[in-house]
């Protein structure tokens, strides 16, 4: 079911809210005409007292993420961190590690797990792990290494509290 921004779907104790993110609509040249203002969103999922933000593909937009942070107490933010390069092109629709950390802070989330990285070369990133390495450096500089969890491909983690 398609949800408009701030629309809520609740079923079997799971509450899903569509939240604004910054991207573009359409995946093929011709569908952009009817997908102009739809086809991209983030989600806040609430279940059994836990709240998860999933950013999907997004560029940075402080108002969007600060507003989401005001409306929800986010336990876990799953945020994209790539592609990074070239920033003048990618920056409109894809956050880099620095911007992902800013989203994490704007949301006021407790924990962040990065996504959308390390599976293949993206954009002009020099290596598949380029974004991960940048993120780990930023997390260390900001004293957030214990709150930003970089999982290995296929790794599962149970988070409590």
């Amino acid at each position: 079911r398609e949800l408009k921004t701030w629309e809520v779907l609740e079923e079997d104790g799971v509450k899903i809210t569509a939240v604004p993110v910054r991207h573009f609509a359409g995946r093929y040249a011709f569908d952009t005409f009817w997908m102009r203002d739809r086809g991209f969103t983030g989600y806040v999922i609430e279940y059994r007292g836990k709240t998860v933000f999933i950013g999907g593909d997004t560029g940075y937009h402080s108002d969007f993420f600060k507003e989401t942070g005001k409306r929800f107490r986010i336990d876990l933010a799953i945020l994209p961190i790539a592609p990074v390069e070239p920033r003048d092109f990618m920056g409109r629709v894809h956050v880099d590690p620095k911007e992902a950390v800013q989203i994490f802070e704007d949301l006021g989330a407790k924990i962040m797990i990065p996504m959308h990285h390390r599976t293949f070369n993206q954009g002009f990133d020099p290596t598949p792990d380029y974004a991960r390495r940048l993120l780990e450096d930023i997390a260390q500089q900001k004293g957030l290494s214990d709150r930003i969890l970089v999982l290995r491909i296929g790794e599962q983690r149970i988070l409590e509290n």
Side-chain angles (χ1 to χ4, degrees):
R1 181 171 148 212
E2 187 174 328
L3 300 175
K4 291 181 171 57
T5 301
W6 302 120
E7 189 175 0
V8 177
L9 171 66
E10 194 163 354
E11 193 171 306
D12 297 328
V14 178
K15 184 176 178 182
I16 301 171
T17 305
V19 296
V21 296
R22 182 179 174 199
H23 206 262
F24 62 88
R27 287 289 175 210
Y28 310 99
F30 60 87
D31 66 350
T32 303
F33 297 111
W34 68 83
M35 297 286 291
R36 188 168 314 274
D37 295 322
R38 36 188 280 227
F40 58 95
T41 192
Y43 295 96
V44 172
I45 302 169
E46 299 170 273
Y47 183 66
R48 293 186 176 181
K50 298 295 180 194
T51 304
V52 177
F53 173 87
I54 301 174
D57 273 352
T58 187
Y60 183 69
H61 191 295
S62 65
D63 294 343
F64 290 170
F65 301 113
K66 287 177 181 176
E67 182 61 29
T68 299
K70 287 179 190 172
R71 293 182 185 219
F72 299 93
R73 194 186 120 261
I74 307 290
D75 295 299
L76 172 65
I78 302 173
L79 298 169
I81 61 167
V84 177
E85 305 296 344
R87 284 319 295 151
D88 59 338
F89 174 73
M90 292 298 180
R92 296 178 296 119
V93 293
H94 294 282
V95 293
D96 63 12
K98 181 179 178 182
E99 292 164 325
V101 170
Q102 186 61 57
I103 293 171
F104 174 58
E105 292 173 336
D106 289 350
L107 292 170
K110 293 178 184 176
I111 300 290
M112 174 184 156
I113 294 177
M115 67 172 189
H116 206 259
H117 67 98
R118 224 173 42 197
T119 53
F120 57 90
N121 280 349
Q122 299 184 61
F124 291 107
D125 293 1
T127 64
D129 69 337
Y130 178 64
R132 176 196 53 85
R133 287 185 288 112
L134 291 175
L135 177 66
E136 288 174 342
D137 288 347
I138 293 164
Q140 185 175 13
Q141 290 168 13
K142 290 185 149 249
L144 296 172
S145 296
D146 61 329
R147 296 179 51 209
I148 297 177
L149 308 178
V150 180
L151 305 180
R152 293 182 310 273
I153 294 172
E155 180 181 356
Q156 296 180 26
R157 181 86 55 100
I158 295 173
L159 303 175
E160 297 182 28
N161 285 25

